[in-house]
């Protein structure tokens, strides 16, 4: 085990900080060096917030000395470009928001700051979180630290790559159809999407409001539980955020003995599933079984319809959510126009990238007069069926396990011409969003030298089960998230 | 059902997305491809199925009617591309101009 | 206006700002009318990226109270929807409103002799304000956006097309205002934009049942203009149809300056609002116990009060209707009666003097004047003067009467002495009267008024006639 602090977990670093083996400011310095060395290749960060980081690190050192340190004091972290931070340029990976500095900080990020974390910078993502490769960023693509000619996954590709490359100890992402779990899998780190309503969305630049959730990327399951616990809980500023107990780390180390793990056959038969991935998952299931879990066959019969339902609901909501980007109050604005309609059309044509425009068009069409019933309403009904599938499956198991992504990281540029092939990246993850479930991806070996992720889904509000199964796997497989050594 | 050029133009206007050279063909082709996949939804009989708009059962919370601090005018306009005398400025809403 | 052979059909869409301290979905205080632009905004009502709405409880309560008072049905579940259209006064590019599950539906309001059915009462948010500036010569046009009003709560009250004239439409709006004020849901001041009435108007041949093509009127800022705008529009539609033209379905604005309606620019294509459930707000459960509590706490409604004014004070229905139509007047009436004024004279004073005048006296001011006039202590004209002055100076009627020497001389012997003096100094007039010239009495009375302005005129007249017999 290397003792390079840029490779360590929160709990390991916290031990060093408490023991004065290292100061928060030194830890920050090491990370800035690492970013300096790696990020020219990885391009995980859109922008650094060095001055803010220095202040936060200084405050953390003070708190550590005074004994008032929060649970994340001094821990260097990164924030996906869709989470608003007061005074920090936040652009949702889009040219249309270039230069926008929010006058407020979102709830989840504020709670992370309040716990003492040090924000290094803003990470790259697909524009408005629409994509599965971070190639749709309005700025530049991010590269997979394990193989620079490959994508890191997306849309939270920058956040996943930063943790994988040793540039941040943890990071925050958002997951609408798999945008945390899939890049976590492709970058070989842990990533978790909580139950819809567990973490406040206040400050999250909305893509699809009924699907979006904020979640962490970490190097250990324990860290994941800690970050989630820190962010979770009722927020008077988000009406969809539940007011209920947040004991997500309950029974974290209790193991999987007598836990029934549902193996959905449909998830092993999806189009484009790579044999190397299937093999790695099979091995992981064997490991869990050996650790005491019971594997049971379950069925999610509407799996084939999930993608279609998702690609109506998410674009419909996004077409409405993105209407506010009109060049009036913030962001890009084409003022050279004869009238307001022309100004809108010019601004939005120029400011939005191709994928965003494609989805805005699709969503507008699906909601428009004469098509609402055939598309939007139909998709909502199919959403009910998909949720029922999970309810039925969970009647026979405690958690559902599968691959996170049917493939390992693919070469940059290999899927950009065919949107449907890109959408298929999320076929195993988006069901969790449609049904509002908590889901985690943990690394479970390699295929062709690239990481494979194991996904664990649990019933709504049972983050404790996903974390417990993930922790049991981590322990049984002696799995340690490795930092990809980019040089 | 594939999208016609007319539909593309209509949807683009609804969405206030300008159309540039080649856009109509691009959208017509790409959206039609995606819709071909999506049309499989019609295979399912959902007559008796209620729609799900929100997947988690959370009751709406009501806010007490107590004022919170506003932004200052300066803060409100800080990101504005064009601000004049405390207002956001926009090109005319008069179509004739 | 009543055009022979035509029936007027009017439905009303009324937007009312409920009395709340903060906006519909954020904690911004409601801006005063003269607030600087964009001084009452926050990330939520500016529609910044990442923000979310949270429902104002007071707005929901005001809407429910209104709905209950309008005899509406209130469902167990209600939800909010997004109405999508892009316009610079609409920061999010959609308005949060209610589409297929409104807060309430199917009620009614009694307006005079007519029952107007209420289709629905729902909650939504207001837009911001646009100020236009332009230069026709250089074709340089621009607009300015103030978002102080963006997100202010609005109740939308939609009636069925049950109204049959401009008068009824105005009476409906007045009755609605009284109801809203009575239940404390809104101040409903039209001039302040707290109540905005948008009538839908069509006409049809008497005896037909099919609805004609309707127009919708906007920019009406007073009850008087509501009447005038409808009156104008009805005439315009009838004239068009009678001369063989069509009525075009459109939105028309009312021009106060020109006293006419005009076609507002028809949009280049029909809007398609793409309503869908607002994903940022879970459905709202309306606890029946809460509704019951609101229902029980409602004050007496204008309709019930009208009935009671008739039975309790023996007022004619006409008087009772006029007084019950305004809560302030009805409170004044009942207060004055309690303070000792007789009911019918008090009603007369309110209908004849207070209602047309505009400024409303206190209960004691009115009661004192009514009592003084009824007892004959002062004349009706003096009463008017005293009432006006006591409202203006906030001094008591008794004080003013004494100061002006208004108190009438009603003492018989005193009056007789005065009358004898008048006869003595007007011997010719007295003789003329006695000779049968009855109009000579006028000259005698005139001199009496000059000599003794405070003389009780009725008594003095009687004494004069008696002495000249
Ligand atoms: Mg409305
Ligand atoms: Zn506000």
């Amino acid at each position: 085990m290397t003792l390079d602090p840029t490779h360590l977990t929160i709990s390991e670093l916290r031990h060093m900080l408490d023991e004065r083996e290292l100061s928060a400011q030194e830890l920050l310095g090491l990370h800035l060096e690492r970013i300096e060395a790696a990020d020219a290749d990885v391009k995980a960060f859109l922008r650094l917030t060095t001055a803010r980081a220095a202040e936060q690190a200084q405050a953390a050192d003070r708190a550590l000395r005074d004994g008032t340190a929060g649970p994340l004091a001094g821990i260097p972290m990164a924030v996906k470009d869709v989470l608003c931070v007061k005074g920090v340029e936040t652009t949702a990976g889009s040219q249309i928001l270039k230069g926008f500095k929010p006058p407020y900080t979102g709830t989840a990020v504020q709670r992370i700051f309040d716990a003492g974390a040090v924000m290094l910078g803003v990470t790259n993502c697909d524009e408005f979180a629409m994509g599965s490769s971070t190639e749709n960023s309005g700025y530049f693509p991010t590269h997979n630290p394990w193989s620079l000619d490959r994508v890191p996954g997306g849309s939270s590709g920058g956040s996943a790559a930063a943790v994988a490359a040793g540039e941040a100890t943890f990071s925050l992402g958002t997951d609408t159809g798999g945008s945390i779990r899939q890049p976590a899998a492709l970058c070989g780190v842990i990533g978790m999407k909580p139950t819809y309503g567990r973490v406040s969305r206040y400050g999250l630049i909305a893509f699809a409001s009924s699907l979006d959730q904020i979640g962490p990327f970490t190097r250990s399951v324990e860290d994941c539980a800690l970050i989630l616990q820190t962010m979770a809980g009722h927020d008077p500023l988000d009406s969809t955020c539940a007011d209920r107990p947040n004991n997500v780390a309950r029974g974290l180390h209790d193991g999987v003995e007598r836990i029934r793990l549902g193996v959905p056959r449909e998830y092993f038969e999806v189009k484009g599933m790579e044999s190397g991935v299937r093999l790695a998952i099979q091995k992981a299931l064997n490991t869990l079984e050996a650790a005491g879990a019971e594997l049971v066959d379950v069925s999610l019969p509407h799996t084939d319809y999930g993608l279609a339902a998702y690609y109506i609901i998410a674009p419909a909501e996004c077409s409405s959510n993105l209407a506010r980007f009109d060049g009036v109050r913030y962001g890009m604005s084409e003022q050279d126009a004869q009238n307001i309609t022309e100004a809108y059309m010019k601004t939005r044509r120029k400011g939005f990238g191709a994928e965003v425009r494609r989805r805005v068009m699709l969503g507008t069409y699906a909601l428009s007069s004469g098509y609402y019933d055939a598309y939007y309403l139909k998709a909502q009904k199919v959403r009910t069926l998909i949720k029922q599938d999970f309810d039925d499956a969970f009647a026979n198991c405690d958690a559902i396990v599968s691959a996170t992504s049917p493939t390992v990281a693919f070469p940059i540029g290999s899927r950009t011409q065919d949107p449907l092939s890109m959408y298929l990246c999320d076929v195993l993850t988006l069901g969790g969003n449609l049904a509002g479930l908590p889901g985690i991806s943990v690394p479970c070996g390699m295929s062709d030298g690239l990481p494979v992720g194991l996904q664990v889904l649990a019933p709504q509000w049972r983050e404790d089960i996903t974390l417990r199964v993930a922790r049991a796997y981590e322990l049984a497989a002696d799995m340690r998230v490795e930092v990809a050594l980019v040089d | 059902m594939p999208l016609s050029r007319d539909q593309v133009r209509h949807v683009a206007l609804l969405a206030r997305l300008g159309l540039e050279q080649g856009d109509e063909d691009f959208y017509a082709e790409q959206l039609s491809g995606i819709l071909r996949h999506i049309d499989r939804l019609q295979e399912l009989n959902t007559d008796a199925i209620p729609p799900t708009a929100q997947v988690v059962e959370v009751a709406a919370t009501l806010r007490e009617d107590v004022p919170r601090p506003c932004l200052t005018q300066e803060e409100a306009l800080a990101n504005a591309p064009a601000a004049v005398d405390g207002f956001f400025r926009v090109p005319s809403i008069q179509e004739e101009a | 206006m009543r055009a022979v052979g035509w029936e007027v059909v009017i439905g009303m869409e009324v937007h009312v700002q409920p009395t709340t301290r903060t906006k519909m979905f954020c904690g911004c205080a409601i801006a005063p009318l003269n607030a600087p632009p964009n001084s009452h905004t926050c990330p939520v009502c500016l529609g910044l990226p990442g923000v979310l709405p949270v429902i104002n409880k007071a707005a929901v309560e005001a809407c429910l109270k209104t709905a209950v008072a309008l005899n509406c049905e209130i469902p167990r579940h209600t939800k909010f929807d997004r109405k999508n259209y892009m316009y610079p006064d609409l920061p999010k590019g959609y308005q949060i409103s209610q589409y297929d599950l409104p807060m309430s539906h199917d009620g009614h309001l009694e307006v005079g002799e007519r029952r107007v059915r209420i289709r629905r009462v729902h909650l939504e948010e207001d837009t911001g304000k646009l100020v236009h500036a332009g230069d026709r010569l250089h074709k340089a046009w621009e607009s300015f956006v103030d978002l102080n009003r963006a997100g202010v709560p609005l109740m939308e009250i939609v009636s069925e097309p049950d109204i049959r004239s401009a008068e009824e439409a105005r009476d409906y709006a007045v009755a609605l205002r009284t109801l809203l004020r009575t239940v404390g849901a809104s101040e409903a001041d039209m001039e302040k934009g707290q109540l905005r009435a948008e009538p839908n108007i069509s006409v049809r041949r008497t005896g037909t049942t099919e609805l004609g093509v309707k127009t919708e009127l906007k920019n009406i800022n007073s009850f008087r203009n509501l009447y005038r705008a409808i009156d104008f529009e009805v005439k315009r539609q009838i004239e068009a149809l009678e001369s063989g033209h069509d009525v075009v379905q459109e939105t028309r604005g009312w021009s106060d300056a020109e006293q006419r309606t005009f076609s507002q620019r028809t949009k280049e294509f029909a809007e398609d609002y793409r309503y869908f459930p607002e994903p940022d707000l879970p459905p709202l459960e309306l606890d029946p116990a809460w509704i019951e509590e609101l229902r029980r706490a409602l004050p007496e409604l204008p309709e019930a009060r009208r009935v009671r004014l008739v039975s309790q004070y023996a007022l004619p229905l006409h008087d009772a209707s006029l007084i019950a139509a305004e809560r302030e007047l009805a409170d004044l009436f009942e207060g004055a009666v309690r303070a000792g004024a007789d009911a019918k004279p008090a009603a007369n004073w309110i209908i004849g003097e207070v209602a047309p005048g505009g400024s409303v006296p206190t209960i004691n001011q009115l009661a004192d004047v009514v009592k003084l006039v009824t007892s004959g202590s002062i004349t009706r004209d003096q009463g008017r003067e005293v009432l006006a002055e006591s409202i203006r100076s906030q001094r008591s009627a008794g004080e003013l009467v004494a100061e002006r020497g208004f108190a009438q001389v009603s003492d018989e012997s005193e009056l007789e002495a005065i009358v004898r003096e008048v006869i003595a100094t007007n011997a010719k007039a007295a003789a003329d009267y006695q000779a049968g010239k009855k109009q000579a009495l006028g000259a005698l009375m005139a001199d009496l008024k000059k000599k003794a302005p405070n003389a009780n005129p009725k008594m003095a007249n009687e004494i004069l006639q008696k002495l000249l017999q």
Side-chain angles (χ1 to χ4, degrees):
Chain A
M1 176 178 136
T2 169
L3 273 179
D4 183 340
T6 63
H7 294 204
L8 300 183
T9 65
I10 297 171
S11 40
E12 288 161 349
L13 288 172
R14 186 53 200 264
H15 182 77
M16 293 174 74
L17 290 162
D18 280 338
E19 297 300 316
R20 305 288 183 273
E21 293 167 29
L22 185 74
S23 74
Q25 290 172 86
E26 286 163 350
L27 187 58
L28 168 61
L30 290 169
H31 279 85
L32 292 176
E33 277 171 32
R34 177 67 187 159
I35 291 168
E36 176 82 41
D39 214 51
D41 292 327
V42 176
K43 295 180 160 296
F45 283 91
L46 279 173
R47 48 200 86 94
L48 296 177
T49 49
T50 316
R52 163 188 291 269
E55 279 170 33
Q56 285 179 325
Q58 211 170 31
D61 279 332
R62 220 177 302 125
L64 284 160
R65 263 198 314 277
D66 299 347
T68 57
L72 300 176
I75 306 297
M77 55 85 65
V79 177
K80 184 181 180 180
D81 192 30
V82 295
L83 300 175
C84 290
V85 181
K86 185 173 178 171
V88 173
E89 186 179 350
T90 306
T91 65
S94 180
Q95 287 290 336
I96 209 163
L97 266 180
K98 197 169 178 153
F100 173 68
K101 289 184 177 170
Y104 75 103
T105 298
T107 304
V109 174
Q110 188 59 53
R111 287 179 183 174
I112 293 294
F113 288 170
D114 291 345
V118 175
M119 175 175 170
L120 297 163
V122 176
T123 52
N124 197 17
C125 60
D126 287 302
E127 186 178 2
F128 287 101
M130 295 176 201
S132 306
S133 67
T134 316
E135 291 163 289
N136 294 335
S137 163
Y139 299 91
F140 45 75
T142 294
H143 299 251
N144 192 311
W146 291 93
S147 175
L148 290 173
D149 61 346
R150 301 206 173 225
V151 301
S155 64
S156 313
S159 288
V163 174
E167 296 173 312
T169 308
F170 77 95
S171 63
L172 301 183
T174 60
D175 190 315
T176 306
S179 280
I180 291 174
R181 289 160 290 160
Q182 184 257 14
L186 269 47
C187 288
V189 298
I190 291 161
M192 178 156 186
K193 170 218 173 286
T195 305
Y196 183 82
R198 176 68 83 184
V199 176
S200 167
R201 293 182 293 116
Y202 189 76
L204 157 58
I205 300 179
F207 159 19
S209 310
S210 79
L211 301 161
D212 296 342
Q213 272 290 294
I214 301 171
F217 292 93
T218 62
R219 297 194 183 115
S220 78
V221 176
E222 200 176 7
D223 285 2
C224 184
L226 173 64
I227 301 304
L228 180 55
Q229 187 76 47
T230 305
M231 294 191 293
H234 180 60
D235 176 13
L237 299 177
D238 178 2
S239 304
T240 63
C241 184
D243 190 2
R244 53 191 300 147
N246 292 307
N247 36 7
V248 299
R250 174 184 54 193
L252 183 62
H253 304 291
D254 287 358
V256 284
E257 209 143 349
R258 280 185 301 281
I259 291 274
R260 291 166 306 161
L261 297 177
V263 183
R265 74 183 81 91
E266 293 85 356
Y267 275 30
F268 286 78
E269 291 160 6
V270 295
K271 200 173 150 194
M273 181 83 161
E274 289 174 353
S275 58
V277 171
R278 189 181 284 119
L279 202 67
I281 297 301
Q282 196 52 59
K283 254 179 81 183
L285 297 187
N286 293 345
T287 304
L288 282 163
E289 197 173 22
E294 185 192 338
L295 299 181
V296 295
D297 285 329
V298 294
S299 174
L300 299 169
H302 293 96
T303 298
D304 255 1
Y305 301 95
L307 189 72
Y310 178 85
Y311 274 96
I312 289 296
I313 293 168
E317 291 182 9
C318 105
S319 72
S320 175
N321 284 331
L322 269 53
R324 70 188 61 198
F325 301 101
D326 59 5
V328 175
R329 286 144 295 127
Y330 43 78
M332 182 186 286
S333 186
E334 286 291 298
Q335 297 264 325
D336 179 24
Q338 293 295 301
N339 58 53
I340 188 70
T341 303
E342 192 191 327
Y344 282 163
M345 296 184 87
K346 277 186 167 176
T347 297
R348 290 160 63 81
R349 173 62 181 83
K350 191 172 169 197
F352 290 144
E355 180 62 22
V356 171
R357 285 186 277 119
R358 190 152 45 212
R359 294 201 202 186
V360 167
M361 288 287 288
L362 182 59
T364 303
Y365 177 66
L367 287 173
S368 68
S369 166
Y371 299 95
Y372 183 91
D373 286 3
Y375 288 119
Y376 186 72
L377 191 64
K378 186 81 180 181
Q380 282 200 325
K381 290 178 165 194
V382 173
R383 187 174 188 181
T384 306
L385 292 173
I386 286 165
K387 182 170 184 299
Q388 271 169 14
D389 281 358
F390 280 106
D391 289 345
D392 294 346
F394 285 127
N396 298 310
C397 65
D398 301 299
I400 287 171
V401 286
S402 72
T404 306
S405 159
T407 72
V408 293
F410 44 89
I412 288 173
S414 64
R415 296 190 182 202
T416 41
Q417 293 315 304
D418 176 9
L420 211 53
S421 77
M422 189 70 88
Y423 296 173
L424 282 165
C425 293
D426 297 329
V427 70
L428 301 176
T429 44
L430 54 81
N433 299 77
L434 288 171
L437 311 177
I440 195 169
S441 180
V442 284
C444 67
M446 309 288 265
S447 167
D448 294 335
L450 291 163
V452 175
L454 170 74
Q455 174 175 247
V456 184
L457 297 169
Q460 287 181 359
W461 312 114
R462 296 312 302 269
E463 281 85 348
D464 60 321
I465 299 182
T466 58
L467 288 162
R468 178 172 159 191
V469 172
R471 172 67 190 138
Y473 174 76
E474 185 181 51
L475 206 63
D478 199 14
M479 187 278 288
R480 184 174 170 89
V481 169
E482 283 180 56
V483 163
L485 294 169
V486 194
D487 305 293
Chain B
M1 27 186 148
L3 235 63
S4 69
R5 302 252 153 79
D6 274 353
Q7 281 175 305
V8 166
R9 272 194 298 273
H10 175 71
V11 175
L13 182 56
L14 274 180
R16 298 294 189 268
L17 278 174
L19 290 169
E20 289 181 6
Q21 186 88 50
D23 280 357
E24 283 175 30
D25 287 338
F26 171 81
Y27 290 129
E29 186 205 312
Q30 297 233 317
L31 297 180
S32 296
I34 298 165
L35 287 170
R36 256 197 305 282
H37 177 85
I38 286 168
D39 277 339
R40 71 176 54 192
L41 292 178
Q42 310 309 329
E43 295 164 9
L44 294 171
N45 183 338
T46 52
D47 292 348
I49 309 297
T52 295
Q54 265 144 338
V55 75
V56 164
E57 273 181 48
V58 176
T61 41
L62 297 179
R63 176 175 58 79
E64 293 299 326
D65 187 27
V66 178
R68 287 161 47 97
C70 295
L71 295 174
T72 62
Q73 186 190 68
E74 200 182 358
E75 288 167 332
L77 297 170
N79 283 293
V84 180
D85 297 335
F87 292 91
F88 297 99
R89 195 207 84 97
V90 293
S92 172
I93 59 154
Q94 322 249 351
E95 303 295 328
E96 59 166 13
Chain C
M1 112 125 254
R2 205 159 290 280
V4 178
W6 292 94
E7 184 180 35
V8 179
V9 178
I10 302 169
M12 295 277 274
E13 216 179 282
V14 178
H15 285 88
V16 176
Q17 181 188 335
T19 311
T20 62
R21 298 172 69 196
T22 66
K23 292 188 180 182
M24 185 64 227
F25 297 114
C26 64
C28 285
I30 307 289
L33 282 178
N34 57 355
N38 298 302
S39 59
H40 287 65
T41 67
C42 72
V44 176
C45 56
L46 283 174
L48 293 192
V51 298
L52 299 166
V54 185
I55 301 166
N56 182 343
K57 186 178 176 188
V60 172
E61 196 165 298
C63 187
L64 291 174
K65 279 201 279 194
T66 303
V68 170
L70 286 169
N71 310 290
C72 287
E73 286 174 40
I74 295 170
R76 282 295 296 267
H77 305 276
T78 181
K79 71 175 170 81
F80 287 90
D81 300 274
R82 291 187 184 178
K83 178 181 181 179
N84 293 285
Y85 66 96
M86 286 183 65
Y87 211 61
D89 62 6
L90 189 68
K92 299 185 294 298
Y94 55 85
Q95 179 194 35
I96 304 180
S97 181
Q98 298 197 279
Y99 186 54
D100 57 345
L101 284 177
M103 201 85 77
S104 68
H105 57 90
D106 292 305
H108 58 86
L109 176 63
E110 308 287 348
V111 182
E113 303 305 300
R114 194 182 291 285
R115 167 172 288 197
V116 178
R117 288 170 300 154
I118 304 292
R119 186 178 298 168
R120 58 191 282 159
V121 182
H122 76 239
L123 266 181
E124 58 185 33
E125 55 179 339
D126 206 351
T127 60
K129 204 173 77 183
L130 286 173
V131 181
H132 309 295
D135 175 349
R136 220 173 262 278
L137 191 65
H138 299 94
K139 293 209 162 188
W141 298 85
E142 52 186 359
S143 302
F144 300 96
V145 189
D146 171 13
L147 296 175
N148 282 348
R149 272 205 78 79
V152 166
L154 288 180
M155 301 188 274
E156 185 176 312
I157 304 169
V158 185
S159 87
E160 297 291 345
D162 290 349
I163 297 166
R164 290 292 171 270
S165 69
E167 292 93 326
E168 276 185 18
R170 183 197 50 209
D171 291 350
Y172 169 82
V174 170
L176 203 52
R177 181 183 67 174
T178 306
L179 187 87
L180 291 161
R181 289 181 176 176
T182 303
V183 304
S186 172
E187 288 163 44
D189 190 332
M190 252 185 137
E191 269 91 32
K192 287 184 187 156
Q194 293 162 337
L195 188 154
R196 304 201 284 261
E198 285 157 15
N200 286 293
I201 301 159
S202 64
V203 297
R204 63 185 170 197
R205 293 278 180 192
T206 310
T208 58
T209 52
E210 209 178 313
L211 288 170
V213 177
K214 66 177 180 186
T215 56
E216 187 182 338
L217 302 189
K218 287 189 188 290
N219 320 337
I220 298 170
N221 59 6
S222 70
F223 292 113
R224 199 178 58 168
N225 285 336
L226 175 64
Y227 174 87
R228 287 181 178 174
I230 295 174
D231 191 50
F232 178 92
E233 185 60 17
V234 166
K235 282 179 188 149
R236 189 190 70 84
Q237 289 192 8
I238 291 174
E239 267 167 34
L241 293 170
E242 283 185 341
S243 59
H245 297 291
D246 285 333
V247 171
V248 185
Q249 178 156 355
E250 62 183 349
T251 299
R252 296 178 68 85
W254 167 253
S255 164
D256 211 3
E258 298 172 52
Q259 294 284 300
R260 64 180 194 90
T261 66
F262 59 95
S263 179
Q264 287 186 333
R265 198 163 308 280
T266 38
K267 289 178 180 142
E268 77 271 31
F269 76 111
E271 265 303 348
D272 176 350
Y273 292 124
R274 289 159 285 140
Y275 279 98
F276 73 103
E278 166 57 284
D280 289 332
L281 291 171
L284 191 54
E285 307 266 335
L286 298 173
D287 183 0
W290 186 25
I291 312 294
E292 242 352 272
E293 198 183 308
L294 291 174
R295 196 189 300 279
R296 265 201 307 275
L298 280 187
E300 183 183 36
L301 299 179
E303 168 61 15
R305 196 166 197 182
R306 180 176 70 157
V307 171
R308 190 171 56 76
L309 291 183
V310 171
S311 62
Q312 188 176 337
Y313 302 98
L315 288 187
L317 184 65
H318 174 77
D319 291 13
S321 299
L322 284 173
I323 290 174
E326 301 235 17
R327 189 186 183 188
E328 214 178 0
L329 297 183
D331 287 347
L332 179 64
F333 169 74
E334 296 207 271
V337 173
R338 259 195 306 278
D342 288 345
K344 180 59 182 152
N348 290 346
W349 273 87
I350 287 172
I351 293 165
E353 304 299 328
V354 177
S359 45
V360 176
T362 66
I363 285 169
N364 284 330
Q365 283 169 346
L366 180 73
D368 287 352
V369 169
V370 172
K371 281 189 282 185
L372 285 165
V373 175
T374 312
S375 69
S377 300
I378 58 175
T379 66
R380 210 183 155 78
D381 285 343
Q382 288 170 338
R384 274 192 202 102
E385 200 181 322
V386 169
L387 186 64
E389 181 56 26
S390 67
I391 293 170
R392 204 163 53 78
S393 64
Q394 293 299 313
R395 296 169 60 194
S396 78
E399 218 178 298
L400 290 166
V401 165
E403 184 182 289
R404 302 183 176 207
F406 277 172
Q408 293 182 26
V409 177
S410 303
D411 183 272
E412 226 177 309
S413 58
E414 207 177 315
L415 279 174
E416 207 176 298
I418 297 168
V419 170
R420 284 185 195 286
E421 196 193 324
V422 169
I423 292 171
T425 50
N426 296 281
K428 176 157 173 7
D432 286 351
Y433 178 81
Q434 280 161 330
K437 278 194 175 172
K438 296 291 174 206
Q439 65 268 40
L441 196 67
L444 292 164
M445 280 302 291
D447 191 50
L448 183 129
K449 262 199 171 142
K450 212 158 68 188
K451 283 199 165 69
N454 297 336
N456 183 325
K458 197 164 153 251
M459 283 176 75
N461 190 292
E462 280 163 20
I463 292 169
L464 187 61
Q465 291 190 45
K466 195 181 74 191
L467 292 180
L468 288 174
Q469 248 159 34

